[in-house]
Amino acid sequence: MSRRFVLSSLLLLTALGAVSPGFAQKADTLVSDRDTIRYTYTPLQQSEAPKKNFFRRIVDYFGESTVDRTFEKKIDFTFAGGPSYSKNTNFGIGVLAAGLYRIDRTDSVTVPSDVSIFANVSVSGFYSVGISGNNIFTGNKQRISYTAMFSSAPRDFWGIGYRNGRYNKVSTYSEKRIQIDASYLREILPHTYLGGVASFDYARGIKFSEPSYLEGERTQYTATGIGIVAEYDSRDFIPNPFRGIYVSFRETVYPKALGNCGQTLWRTTFTADFYLPVWKNAVLAADLYGVFNSDGAPWTMLARMGDNQRMRGYYLGQYTDNCMITFQTELRQRIWRRIGGVVWGGAGNVFPAFDRFRWDETLPNYGIGLRWELKKRVNVRLDYGFGKKTSGFLLNINEAF
C-alpha cells in the first residue's frame, strides 16, 4: 500500500466525518509498508456567544427598528417609553407603540400603513390614552384615517376671544374629553380623493375657578358630526413626507337631531401642505391651516390655538375663538444617522368672523427641534416653541405636519 493511498484514505475519512475536528482524538499510528504516519488532533474550543447586557439589548433593539420589515411581518411594531413634557400637561411618563404594515405584502409600490398607540400620565393629574393611524389599501386607491382618544386634564382658561386671552387673568378647570374621528377616502383621479367623515366629541368641564368666563354656556356638550372631505395628496409618506403636496377641504355638519347644542352647526376645515427636498437630507415644509365654525358653536367646539402641531409653544386654549388661521414653514435636516433637527417660523390668528378679522391681533411663532428616528421615517420629536410672551417644550411622535 502506497503512502499516497494512505493519505488519500485519511483525507476521505476526514471529509466523510469519520474523523471530526470537533472531538478530541488520541494520538495513533498507521503503519503500511514500513511507512509510519502519526496524526494528533487537538479539540477546537466551542465558544458560546457572549450574553448581552440590558443596555446592549436596548441599543440593538432600536438599532434594528429602522429596518423595513413590513414585507416579512403582518405588522412591525416598535415600543418606547420615557419622560414626557408639554406646556399643557407638565412632566410625565409616556409610552407608545409605533407600527408599520402593508395590506398586501407583495405590493412594493404602495407606501406602508401606520398606526400609533399611546398613553401618558403626568404630575399635574393629566392622563390620556389613544390610537391614531392611516390604513392604506393596495395601490393607494383607498384609505382610512382615524383618531380616538380619551383624556382627563387640569386646564387653564382665559375666556373666549383674542383680547380675553391677551389680558384676562388665567382661571382653571378640569376637563374630561372623548374624541373620535374617522374618514374614508377613495381615489377618483390621480392623487385626488373624495370621501366621508364622521366625528364624535364629548367634553365636560368641572371646578371652574371663574365660571363667568363661559359667558352663560353649559359646562358640558356633545358634538356628533358627519361630512364630506376632498383631498389632493401626492406625499410620498404620510407621517414624514420628503416631497409632495397635500390639500384637504373638509365640511362637517352637526345636526340638531343628534343632540348638538339644540341647533344645527357647521364646521369647515382647510389644510394646504407643501414638501420640497432642498439639499442632501434636507426638506423644506410649509403648512397653511384654517378652521371656521358657524355662529353658535359652544366653547368646547371652538378653535383653540397651540398644542403640538401648530403654534407650538402656546398654551392650548389661551387664544380661543370661532375661527382660526395659522401658517408655518419648517426646515428639516438629518444631522447624523438617526438624529435630525428642525427650525420653524409662523403666525396665527383667532377671530369670531371674517368681517372681524384684525391683522394687528396676529400672533408670532418660531422654534427649534430635535428628531430621533424611532422607526423607518417615523420620528420622535422634541420641540421648543416661542410665541408672544410664551414658550414651551413639546415631546411627541411623528412630524407636526
Side-chain angles (χ1 to χ4, degrees):
M1 186 181 296
S2 68
R3 177 179 298 183
R4 180 177 297 176
F5 176 79
V6 174
L7 287 171
S8 299
S9 300
L10 181 58
L11 291 173
L12 179 60
L13 288 172
T14 303
L16 293 175
V19 180
S20 172
F23 298 91
Q25 302 289 338
K26 291 182 179 180
D28 206 347
T29 304
L30 294 177
V31 180
S32 177
D33 294 336
R34 295 182 301 276
D35 292 326
T36 301
I37 300 174
R38 295 184 180 275
Y39 59 94
T40 302
Y41 293 95
T42 303
L44 298 176
Q45 295 295 325
Q46 302 297 314
S47 60
E48 296 182 359
K51 292 184 178 180
K52 298 178 180 179
N53 59 36
F54 177 76
F55 178 74
R56 183 72 255 178
R57 291 199 298 270
I58 293 294
V59 171
D60 289 348
Y61 175 73
F62 286 111
E64 297 172 357
S65 66
T66 56
V67 178
D68 185 354
R69 301 190 185 279
T70 56
F71 295 103
E72 307 166 17
K73 299 181 178 181
K74 289 184 178 180
I75 184 166
D76 181 18
F77 264 119
T78 296
F79 299 87
S84 65
Y85 178 82
S86 78
K87 195 175 182 70
N88 290 45
T89 61
N90 213 313
F91 288 98
I93 297 293
V95 294
L96 65 91
L100 298 176
Y101 62 95
R102 296 178 186 271
I103 300 297
D104 181 359
R105 282 185 279 164
T106 65
D107 180 8
S108 61
V109 177
T110 305
V111 297
S113 302
D114 67 275
V115 58
S116 298
I117 304 169
F118 54 89
N120 199 306
V121 60
S122 80
V123 296
S124 67
F126 165 84
Y127 62 89
S128 69
V129 60
I131 182 172
S132 65
N134 300 280
N135 193 85
I136 312 297
F137 292 88
T138 303
N140 206 11
K141 299 298 182 183
Q142 302 174 73
R143 64 176 61 169
I144 295 174
S145 298
Y146 55 89
T147 299
M149 185 177 73
F150 169 76
S151 63
S152 176
R155 298 290 192 194
D156 291 342
F157 190 50
W158 286 259
I160 299 168
Y162 170 84
R163 297 191 65 81
N164 286 336
R166 184 79 172 84
Y167 301 111
N168 268 3
K169 180 182 70 174
V170 62
S171 69
T172 60
Y173 73 101
S174 294
E175 179 187 76
K176 310 286 186 182
R177 196 158 201 146
I178 301 173
Q179 294 174 294
I180 302 173
D181 188 275
S183 63
Y184 168 79
L185 292 167
R186 187 178 185 89
E187 189 177 44
I188 56 174
L189 292 170
H191 303 301
T192 305
Y193 299 84
L194 187 64
V197 62
S199 66
F200 173 83
D201 187 358
Y202 167 80
R204 179 190 177 203
I206 59 174
K207 300 179 181 178
F208 284 88
S209 63
E210 292 287 347
S212 61
Y213 284 3
L214 291 179
E215 300 177 3
E217 294 190 38
R218 301 202 311 263
T219 58
Q220 72 176 49
Y221 288 95
T222 300
T224 305
I226 54 175
I228 60 171
V229 57
E231 292 186 357
Y232 177 87
D233 190 358
S234 62
R235 293 173 296 179
D236 58 335
F237 186 54
I238 294 175
N240 183 11
F242 288 173
R243 57 177 53 83
I245 296 173
Y246 174 69
V247 179
S248 173
F249 178 84
R250 175 169 166 168
E251 190 70 32
T252 308
V253 59
Y254 299 86
K256 177 181 178 180
L258 296 180
N260 293 308
C261 318
Q263 60 180 312
T264 297
L265 300 171
W266 296 81
R267 174 183 290 163
T268 302
T269 307
F270 175 79
T271 308
D273 295 339
F274 174 76
Y275 307 90
L276 176 69
V278 287
W279 54 74
K280 185 178 180 180
N281 295 327
V283 175
L284 182 65
D287 169 67
L288 175 65
Y289 177 78
V291 55
F292 314 100
N293 288 298
S294 59
D295 291 339
W299 68 275
T300 57
M301 290 181 62
L302 298 180
R304 301 197 289 180
M305 181 178 289
D307 207 16
N308 57 37
Q309 288 184 289
R310 298 173 175 92
M311 305 299 286
R312 287 164 277 175
Y314 284 88
Y315 188 95
L316 177 65
Q318 177 174 357
Y319 296 96
T320 299
D321 216 323
N322 224 33
C323 306
M324 179 176 70
I325 296 176
T326 67
F327 174 77
Q328 58 183 327
T329 182
E330 183 170 276
L331 180 63
R332 303 167 181 173
Q333 174 72 60
R334 182 183 291 270
I335 300 172
W336 181 70
R337 294 188 177 181
R338 302 167 71 160
I339 299 174
V342 306
V343 293
W344 81 86
N349 195 309
V350 295
F351 50 98
F354 279 107
D355 59 355
R356 296 174 63 185
F357 179 91
R358 295 186 57 179
W359 282 104
D360 61 352
E361 294 180 352
T362 300
L363 296 162
N365 182 229
Y366 55 96
I368 58 174
L370 186 67
R371 300 292 181 266
W372 182 73
E373 190 176 29
L374 174 66
K375 291 192 69 62
K376 184 72 172 179
R377 293 183 65 176
V378 176
N379 290 338
V380 174
R381 59 185 171 95
L382 175 65
D383 291 332
Y384 192 79
F386 301 85
K388 192 168 187 175
K389 295 186 177 180
T390 186
S391 65
F393 276 109
L394 291 164
L395 181 65
N396 217 294
I397 185 77
N398 291 327
E399 292 299 337
F401 61 93

